[in-house]
């Protein structure tokens, strides 16, 4: 506030005529008078804006119409005549301030205007001192919403929202860099600053800010556009004044910047110009073909149609049509009138008091006493901010930041003789083809609406319908500077070549093939990085790209975390990862190799099942089959012989029972599977050479203290030391493949290394070139890939990623791989990995075991049924027979010995005894009826 007073007094001093400077101050004290009116007959407000501008010509009739409508209304300010005092200004902020001071001498309660944000900044200090609300329908500078300007009220939309709408449109088309062209004043500068913030949230940016002065000549603008045209981005955001914007397009047309491949996005100034003319000039429309513009969204309502009809019926000759600012100006008058009516109804008074600080001094002729403070200004300000009604421009309500609620914009595509709407943007729904006021009525969440962004198609400059990629190579004659590592080992991947283009290898061929798939030429120049004596540091190579010493790095560059922080990588074209390679030694077969196919657990379970199945078959066949009978010694031998002979399907005993045959069939199937698996595993173990090394993977390598070899220039050193905490003294740098072979063959005892840690593509080439004398152990312990590195936000990284995917899908990537890297594969067989465990066969054993238990249950059920009928009557004593005669259900408690004897009997003998018992009981029943009755 102190700074505002200082600026205000400074302006007043400039206004002092030279002849009054130095006059003495009156000796009488300053008096403060006050005029009070509880319900005045006349209330005045001011209108302060350039009335001959594009916006002013539309706003003036709207303000006059609003005053007329308010005065004719019986519900708003009844009995009060609302008068407007018009002061036309120009683009000079100083002269506009003078007009504002003259306006304030008329005791106005509010001021409508100004249009210029720069003028609004200065006048806001004046109204702050005099407590007069400033209702601006044209100043869109986002910084005017700050707490520094409490009496500034924006009745139009804040450019903060417009810039977020532009950012959403840019992100919708996936452009990453844009160039902002703007007037370097408060409105342009601050608006573009917000655009930069909005783009950064979408991972985009303003690559260049092309600013020009408000009074720039055509030659200055032409020089600026020439400079812009040499840059990479082809997406231009034009944020200028309505009165000078078309001149920029005219100059751009002459420079060939309005054709195919260019994207022009204009803010609301362009629709304001076009809407102000009912029939735009055909030459102007031809100039604007394909441009996308943003316009304030004014809902189509009856209020809007009635106002347009009224304005067109009484419009001046110079006013052909009306832009969106006319509606905001109309609503500004109604806002002041409604708020004043509410203020008076609440007991407010229209009174003005002289400010002691503004008294005339030293005989000044300024008449500072005529500038009086509105006493009810603070209360009137709060009344305005609390208003909530529907106007022509939509709902008029203010949020906590004094911005209009529900900001929305229409997105227009200019073409033919007019423009067509391709969608809307609002802070509620984002980009959509549905009118925002319709979406406000729905219950859809803001998140779901933002997720489903949609626009109609656009016809771009040059009458193309495909979305421009938004960038080209700069027209400055400089080819792309591509750094290529000058390797001294593994030259199949990338190396120096005496023929153009000077480099060759697998990586170069992939890069060249990907460039051929791009829809545009890429001028390039390969530059070797490294001294050719040892492999270069790839971290330094990537840093050179990040520092703009190179535009890209092409080669076997691994995508790792610390590199992705400073450059952008393409899609990986070669999978990679660190592996451990050790010397390969053929391991001689052991005399006990035949035991290796099965694990110990598998051997034990298999042997137990042989005995178990043999025992089950013996139980099922013992009563029926003579081959399973005899002395205990003979039967025991039979069980063992039968069990293990089934392994070779050479058992000579035949099974005669149905249950025994069922068990044997299932068991023979299990034996077949076990034999086949055993044979295959043993064959693999005996015929394939095996690896013999004390290092089994990265874990055993970390736990050891032996030296480890790495490739010169590789990121493996940093990874082993920093991430795996391996002592740096253990790391041995190897320059080429010959050093690898020599160090591995010598071993740690002879000054070599116990293992080498390097990326898989190098190791595969090493093993193939050395006749498979080395092998990898364990698994890859990092997962990464090789990619081409570009400077941050380079569009080439995205386009080449798509091209690499196309190469992979078409098979060309594999063909390039086979051309350079098609080598003999080396395989390693780990003995432990070929051992067959119980987990692979427990299902078979389970089926066989269940079958055995079911057959045993059935067998013993039959035995007990027979045994209940078997006990002969002759073996029973009189004491045993007496209860039988007395009871109809005899009680039998046979001994275990008798049961075992019964089980051991032949089946035929048991059946014969049962038949005899049955005949005897039948004959006894005929002789003794009492016995028959008990039976």
């Amino acid at each position: 506030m102190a700074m505002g007073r200082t600026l205000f007094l400074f302006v007043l001093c400039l206004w002092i005529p030279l002849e009054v400077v130095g006059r003495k101050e009156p000796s009488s004290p300053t008096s403060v008078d006050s005029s009070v009116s509880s319900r005045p007959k006349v209330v005045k407000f001011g209108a302060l804006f350039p009335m001959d501008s594009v916006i002013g010509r539309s706003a003036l009739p709207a303000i006059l119409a609003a005053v007329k409508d308010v005065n004719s209304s019986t519900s708003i300010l009844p009995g009060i005549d609302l008068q407007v005092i018009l002061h036309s200004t120009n683009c000079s902020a100083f002269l506009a301030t003078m007009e504002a001071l003259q306006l304030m001498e008329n005791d106005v309660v509010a001021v409508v205007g100004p249009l210029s944000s720069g003028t609004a900044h200065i006048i806001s200090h004046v109204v702050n001192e005099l407590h007069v609300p400033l209702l601006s329908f044209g100043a869109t500078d986002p910084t005017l919403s700050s707490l520094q300007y409490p009496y500034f009220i924006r009745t139009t939309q804040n450019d903060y929202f417009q810039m977020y709408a532009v950012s959403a449109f840019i992100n919708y088309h996936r452009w990453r860099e844009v160039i902002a062209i703007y007037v370097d004043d408060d409105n342009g500068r601050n608006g573009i600053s917000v655009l930069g913030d909005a783009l950064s949230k979408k991972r985009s940016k303003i690559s260049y800010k092309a600013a020009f002065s408000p009074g720039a000549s055509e030659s200055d603008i032409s020089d600026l556009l020439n400079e812009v045209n040499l840059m990479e981005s082809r997406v231009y955001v034009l944020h200028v004044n309505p009165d000078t914007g078309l001149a920029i397009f005219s100059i751009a047309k002459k420079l060939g910047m309005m054709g195919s491949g260019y994207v022009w996005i204009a803010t609301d100034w362009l629709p304001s110009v076009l809407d102000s003319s009912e029939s735009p000039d055909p030459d102007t429309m031809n100039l604007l073909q394909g441009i996308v513009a943003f316009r304030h969204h004014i809902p189509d309502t009856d209020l809007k149609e009635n106002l347009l009809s009224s304005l067109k019926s009484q419009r001046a000759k110079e006013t052909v049509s009306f832009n969106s600012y006319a509606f905001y100006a109309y609503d500004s008058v109604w806002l002041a009138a409604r708020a004043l009516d509410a203020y008076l109804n609440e007991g407010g008074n229209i009174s003005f008091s002289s400010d002691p600080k503004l008294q005339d001094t030293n005989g000044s002729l300024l008449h500072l006493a005529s500038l009086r403070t509105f006493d009810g200004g603070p209360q009137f300000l709060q009344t305005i901010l609390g208003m909530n009604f529907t106007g022509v421009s939509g709902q008029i309500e203010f949020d906590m930041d004094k911005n209009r609620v529900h900001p929305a914009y229409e997105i227009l595509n200019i073409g033919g003789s007019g423009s067509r709407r391709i969608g809307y943007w609002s802070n509620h729904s984002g980009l959509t083809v549905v009118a925002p006021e319709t979406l406000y009525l729905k219950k859809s969440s803001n998140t779901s609406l933002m997720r489903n962004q949609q626009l109609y198609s656009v016809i771009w400059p040059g009458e193309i319908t495909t979305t421009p990629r938004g960038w080209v190579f700069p027209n400055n004659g400089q080819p792309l500077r591509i750094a290529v590592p000058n390797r001294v080992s593994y030259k199949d991947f990338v190396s120096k070549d005496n023929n153009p283009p000077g480099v060759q290898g697998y990586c170069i061929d992939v890069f060249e093939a990907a460039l051929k798939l791009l829809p545009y030429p890429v001028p390039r120049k390969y530059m070797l990085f490294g001294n050719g004596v040892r492999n270069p540091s790839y971290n330094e190579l990537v840093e050179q790209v990040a520092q703009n010493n190179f535009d890209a790095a092409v080669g076997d560059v691994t995508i790792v975390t610390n590199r992705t922080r400073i450059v952008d990588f393409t899609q990986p074209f070669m999978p990679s990862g660190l592996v451990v390679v050790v010397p390969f030694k053929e391991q001689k077969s052991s005399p006990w190799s035949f035991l290796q196919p099965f694990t110990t657990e598998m051997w034990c379970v298999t042997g137990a099942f042989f005995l178990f199945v043999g025992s089950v078959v013996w139980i099922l066949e013992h009563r029926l089959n003579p081959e399973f009978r005899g002395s205990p010694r003979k039967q025991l031998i039979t069980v063992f012989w039968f069990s293990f002979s089934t392994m070779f399907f050479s058992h000579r005993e035949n099974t005669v029972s149905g249950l025994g045959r069922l068990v044997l069939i299932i068991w023979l199937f299990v034996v077949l599977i076990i034999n086949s698996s055993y044979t295959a595993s043993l064959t693999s173990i005996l015929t394939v050479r095996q690896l013999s090394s004390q290092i089994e993977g990265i874990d055993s390598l970390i736990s050891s203290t032996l030296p480890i070899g790495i490739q010169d220039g590789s990121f493996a050193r940093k990874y082993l030391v920093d991430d795996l905490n391996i002592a740096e003294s253990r790391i041995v740098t190897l320059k080429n493949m010959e050093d690898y072979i020599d160090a591995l063959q010598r071993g740690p005892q002879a000054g070599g290394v116990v293992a080498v840690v390097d990326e898989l593509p190098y190791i595969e080439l090493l093993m193939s070139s050395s006749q498979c004398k080395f092998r990898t152990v364990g698994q890859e312990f990092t997962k990464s890939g090789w990619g081409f590195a570009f400077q941050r936000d380079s569009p080439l990284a995205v386009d080449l990623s798509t091209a690499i995917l196309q190469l992979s899908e078409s098979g060309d990537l594999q063909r390039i791989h086979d051309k350079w890297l098609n080598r003999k594969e080396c395989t390693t067989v780990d003995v432990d990995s070929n051992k067959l465990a119980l987990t692979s066969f427990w299902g078979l054993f389970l089926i066989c075991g269940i079958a055995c238990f079911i057959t045993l249950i059935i067998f013993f059920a039959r035995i007990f049924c027979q045994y209940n009928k078997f006990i002969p009557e002759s073996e029973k004593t009189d004491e045993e027979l007496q209860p039988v005669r007395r009871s109809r259900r005899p009680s039998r408690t046979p001994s275990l010995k008798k049961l075992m004897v019964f089980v051991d009997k032949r089946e035929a003998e048991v059946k014969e005894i049962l038949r005899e018992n049955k005949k005897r009981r039948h004959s006894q029943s005929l002789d003794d009826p009492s016995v028959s009755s008990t039976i």
Side-chain angles (χ1 to χ4, degrees):
M1 187 64 71
M3 186 181 69
R5 291 192 179 99
T6 302
L7 180 59
F8 175 62
L9 293 175
F10 173 72
V11 172
L12 290 179
C13 292
L14 293 179
W15 196 24
I16 299 174
L18 294 177
E19 60 271 15
V20 301
V21 176
R23 295 191 62 180
K24 294 183 179 180
E25 181 180 359
S27 58
S28 60
T30 303
S31 62
V32 179
D33 59 345
S34 177
S35 60
V36 180
S37 175
S38 60
R39 195 74 180 179
K41 298 297 183 181
V42 176
V43 175
K44 294 177 288 186
F45 75 95
L48 187 68
F49 57 90
M51 299 177 186
D52 59 345
S53 63
V54 172
I55 297 177
R57 286 192 293 269
S58 293
L60 180 58
I63 291 176
L64 297 177
V67 173
K68 178 181 178 182
D69 292 343
V70 169
N71 288 329
S72 62
S73 174
T74 59
S75 59
I76 302 298
L77 297 178
I80 298 178
D81 182 22
L82 184 65
Q83 295 182 359
V84 58
I85 301 175
L86 301 175
H87 276 249
S88 181
T89 65
N90 55 23
C91 295
S92 171
F94 175 76
L95 296 179
T97 305
M98 298 300 101
E99 294 288 342
L101 292 173
Q102 295 179 20
L103 179 62
M104 293 303 175
E105 294 178 351
N106 297 289
D107 291 342
V108 295
V109 297
V111 177
V112 176
L115 298 179
S116 169
S117 296
T119 303
H121 275 280
I122 297 178
I123 297 180
S124 293
H125 293 289
V126 177
V127 296
N128 286 351
E129 291 291 334
L130 302 180
H131 297 172
V132 177
L134 181 64
L135 309 180
S136 177
F137 59 89
T140 57
D141 177 10
T143 62
L144 286 169
S145 297
S146 66
L147 299 177
Q148 184 182 6
Y149 309 110
Y151 283 86
F152 176 84
I153 302 173
R154 195 193 325 264
T155 58
T156 184
Q157 298 295 350
N158 191 336
D159 266 349
Y160 173 90
F161 301 107
Q162 180 174 208
M163 293 307 167
Y164 270 82
V166 174
S167 172
F169 181 81
I170 293 171
N171 181 66
Y172 180 82
H173 292 93
R174 299 181 180 180
W175 296 315
R176 293 304 175 200
E177 293 186 5
V178 301
I179 293 178
I181 304 174
Y182 61 97
V183 179
D184 194 11
D185 58 9
D186 291 324
N187 184 64
R189 183 170 53 254
N190 295 327
I192 294 302
S193 177
V194 174
L195 176 62
D197 295 338
L199 289 174
S200 65
K201 295 180 180 180
K202 304 291 186 180
R203 296 194 65 184
S204 302
K205 69 176 184 179
I206 299 177
S207 60
Y208 183 71
K209 294 182 179 181
F212 58 91
S213 62
S217 62
E218 288 191 7
S219 61
D220 294 335
I221 296 176
S222 179
D223 293 341
L224 181 66
L225 293 182
N226 268 318
E227 182 181 359
V228 164
N229 199 30
L230 295 176
M231 297 181 180
E232 188 176 83
S233 178
R234 283 292 182 266
V235 181
Y236 305 134
V237 177
L238 190 59
H239 187 50
V240 295
N241 299 322
D243 300 282
T244 59
L246 292 179
I248 296 177
F249 286 124
S250 178
I251 298 172
K253 182 76 171 180
K254 296 177 183 178
L255 298 176
M257 299 175 64
M258 301 294 294
S260 176
Y262 289 86
V263 177
W264 287 88
I265 302 173
T267 52
D268 63 277
W269 68 267
L270 181 57
S272 298
V273 174
L274 299 179
D275 292 343
S276 298
S277 175
E278 190 170 358
S279 56
D281 181 31
D283 294 336
T284 300
M285 297 308 300
N286 291 334
L287 183 66
L288 303 177
Q289 296 298 303
I291 293 175
V292 174
F294 286 74
R295 178 173 64 188
H296 298 115
H297 173 60
I298 308 297
D300 294 327
T301 60
D302 294 338
L303 289 174
K304 177 181 176 181
E305 294 299 325
N306 294 336
L307 176 61
L308 287 176
S309 299
S310 175
L311 291 176
K312 290 181 180 179
S313 63
Q314 58 183 355
R315 65 189 177 191
K317 294 182 179 180
E318 66 273 9
T319 305
V320 180
S321 188
F322 302 92
N323 53 44
S324 60
Y325 288 97
F327 304 114
Y328 291 119
Y330 182 85
D331 284 342
S332 298
V333 177
W334 271 98
L335 173 62
R338 287 178 178 271
L340 183 61
D341 185 64
Y343 169 74
L344 294 175
N345 291 335
E346 293 172 358
N349 295 321
I350 306 298
S351 62
F352 298 86
S353 299
S354 298
D355 189 342
K357 298 186 296 294
L358 299 179
Q359 295 301 313
D360 294 328
T361 59
N362 296 327
S364 172
L365 299 178
L366 290 176
H367 304 293
L368 296 179
S370 62
L371 299 176
R372 301 196 297 172
T373 302
F374 181 21
D375 295 331
Q379 182 182 351
F380 184 43
L381 173 65
Q382 296 305 317
T383 303
I384 293 176
L385 295 177
M387 296 304 296
N388 185 359
F389 67 96
T390 301
V392 178
S393 60
Q395 184 178 358
I396 299 178
E397 184 182 357
F398 298 96
D399 59 18
M400 297 298 294
D401 296 324
K402 298 193 299 182
N403 292 318
R404 289 275 300 267
V405 298
H406 304 325
Y409 290 86
E410 298 176 3
I411 306 175
L412 307 178
N413 183 205
I414 300 175
S417 59
S419 62
R420 64 184 183 94
R421 185 171 53 231
I422 61 174
Y424 303 88
W425 178 92
S426 72
N427 63 340
H428 171 71
S429 59
L431 298 175
T432 178
V433 295
V434 182
E437 58 269 18
T438 303
L439 297 177
Y440 288 135
L441 301 177
K442 296 183 178 180
K443 296 182 179 180
S444 302
S445 65
N446 182 279
T447 304
S448 61
L449 291 173
M450 289 293 185
R451 193 181 301 115
N452 301 319
Q453 304 293 275
Q454 185 180 3
L455 290 176
Y456 292 123
S457 60
V458 180
I459 300 177
W460 305 99
E463 298 184 356
I464 61 173
T465 56
T466 57
T467 303
R469 64 176 180 271
W471 69 277
V472 294
F473 282 99
N475 296 329
N476 53 15
Q478 296 296 328
L480 203 65
R481 300 165 300 169
I482 301 177
V484 177
N486 189 10
R487 296 192 58 88
V488 297
S489 62
Y490 299 109
K491 294 186 175 182
D492 290 339
F493 294 107
V494 61
S495 63
K496 179 181 178 181
D497 187 20
N498 295 327
N499 299 319
V503 288
Q504 63 177 357
Y506 165 73
C507 300
I508 302 301
D509 282 6
V510 172
F511 183 70
E512 289 288 336
L515 289 180
K516 292 178 181 178
L517 296 178
L518 300 182
Y520 48 86
V522 181
R524 56 200 176 275
K525 177 182 179 182
Y526 293 103
M527 307 171 69
L528 291 173
F529 181 79
N531 55 18
V533 178
R534 55 183 299 181
N535 292 334
S537 170
Y538 281 61
N539 285 335
E540 294 181 5
L541 173 62
V542 173
E543 289 175 0
Q544 291 294 315
V545 175
Q547 295 172 7
N548 197 27
N549 294 324
F550 298 105
D551 297 311
V554 173
D556 48 343
V557 183
T558 306
I559 304 173
V560 293
T561 304
N562 63 316
R563 297 173 184 173
T564 57
R565 294 192 180 103
I566 57 177
V567 297
D568 285 345
F569 281 94
T570 63
Q571 171 81 15
F573 62 88
M574 167 73 87
S576 179
L578 291 178
V579 294
V580 179
V581 63
V582 297
F584 179 81
K585 297 180 182 179
E586 185 174 356
Q587 192 179 57
K588 295 182 179 180
S589 298
S590 169
W592 303 100
S593 297
F594 67 92
L595 295 176
Q596 293 178 350
F598 286 166
T599 61
T600 302
E601 183 184 29
M602 181 67 182
W603 278 117
C604 294
V605 173
T606 303
F609 255 85
F610 271 110
L611 295 177
F612 173 68
V613 173
S615 301
V616 172
V617 173
W618 177 84
I619 292 174
L620 298 176
E621 295 290 325
H622 178 70
R623 304 185 72 197
L624 298 174
N625 195 338
E627 296 182 359
F628 287 86
R629 300 187 66 84
S631 62
R633 179 175 176 273
K634 178 183 177 183
Q635 293 185 52
L636 184 61
I637 294 175
T638 300
V639 170
F640 277 94
W641 167 255
F642 179 82
S643 299
F644 291 100
S645 62
T646 56
M647 180 185 294
F648 311 103
F649 305 98
S650 60
H651 53 282
R652 60 189 182 185
E653 293 82 5
N654 295 320
T655 53
V656 296
S657 68
L659 295 177
R661 289 175 177 175
L662 175 62
V663 171
L664 185 60
I665 289 174
I666 295 176
W667 174 243
L668 290 179
F669 176 75
V670 174
V671 170
L672 175 64
I673 299 300
I674 293 176
N675 280 345
S676 301
S677 303
Y678 176 86
T679 303
S681 179
L682 183 62
T683 301
S684 177
I685 292 173
L686 295 178
T687 56
V688 180
R689 295 188 299 175
Q690 302 168 6
L691 185 66
S692 176
S693 174
Q694 57 181 323
I695 301 300
E696 299 177 353
I698 186 60
D699 293 332
S700 59
L701 187 63
I702 294 174
S703 60
S704 71
T705 58
L706 300 175
I708 305 170
I710 64 166
Q711 184 182 171
D712 190 15
S714 172
F715 75 97
R717 172 186 291 274
K718 179 177 177 60
Y719 181 82
L720 294 176
V721 175
D722 295 346
D723 295 350
L724 302 184
N725 297 320
I726 295 177
E728 193 167 3
S729 59
R730 295 179 56 192
I731 307 299
V732 178
T733 302
L734 305 174
K735 293 184 178 181
N736 50 45
M737 187 184 300
E738 290 73 19
D739 290 348
Y740 273 42
I741 297 173
D742 179 66
L744 286 170
Q745 288 179 340
R746 285 190 291 121
Q749 292 79 13
V753 296
V754 67
V756 167
V757 175
D758 205 349
E759 295 181 73
L760 184 59
Y762 302 123
I763 297 304
E764 289 178 343
L765 192 59
L766 169 68
M767 293 190 300
S768 177
S769 301
S770 60
Q771 302 298 321
C772 298
K773 294 180 180 179
F774 308 100
R775 290 290 190 276
T776 59
V777 290
Q779 302 294 326
E780 292 182 56
F781 53 93
T782 64
K783 291 293 184 180
S784 58
W786 292 352
F788 304 129
F790 289 87
Q791 294 181 10
R792 296 303 298 267
D793 301 322
S794 172
L796 259 180
V798 178
D799 290 353
L800 277 178
S801 294
T802 304
I804 291 172
L805 290 176
Q806 293 177 357
L807 289 175
S808 178
E809 293 171 356
S810 65
D812 291 338
L813 194 61
Q814 184 61 41
R815 282 187 282 272
I816 298 174
H817 180 278
D818 295 341
K819 171 186 174 182
W820 289 95
L821 309 173
N822 190 17
R823 300 289 189 270
K824 175 184 176 181
E825 293 186 0
C826 300
T827 58
T828 301
V829 174
D830 188 0
V831 174
D832 292 335
S833 65
N834 286 315
K835 286 189 175 183
L836 300 175
L838 181 61
T839 54
S840 302
F841 299 94
W842 69 268
L844 288 173
F845 288 128
L846 179 63
I847 295 173
C848 182
I850 292 174
C852 290
F853 278 110
I854 292 176
T855 55
L856 288 176
I857 291 173
I858 296 174
F859 174 77
F860 283 110
R862 287 176 51 195
I863 291 295
F864 280 112
C865 290
Q866 289 180 350
Y867 184 70
N868 287 334
K869 302 176 182 180
F870 171 72
I871 304 176
E873 298 293 336
S874 60
E875 296 181 2
K876 296 181 181 180
T877 62
D878 293 340
E879 291 79 6
E880 293 174 334
L881 292 175
Q882 188 65 26
V884 172
R885 294 187 177 93
R886 292 196 302 266
S887 176
R888 300 182 59 179
R889 302 181 72 177
S891 174
R892 298 174 182 176
T893 57
S895 65
L896 180 61
K897 181 177 180 181
K898 290 182 179 181
L899 179 61
M900 296 300 296
V901 171
F902 175 78
V903 173
D904 190 55
K905 291 181 179 293
R906 294 176 180 272
E907 183 72 16
E909 180 181 351
V910 171
K911 289 182 179 180
E912 183 63 27
I913 293 175
L914 292 176
R915 284 195 295 269
E916 292 296 332
N917 288 343
K918 184 176 181 181
K919 290 179 181 180
R920 184 167 58 253
R921 286 195 298 270
H922 182 69
S923 61
Q924 290 177 356
S925 66
L926 294 176
D927 297 340
D928 190 351
S930 62
V931 174
S932 175
S933 63
T934 60
I935 295 177

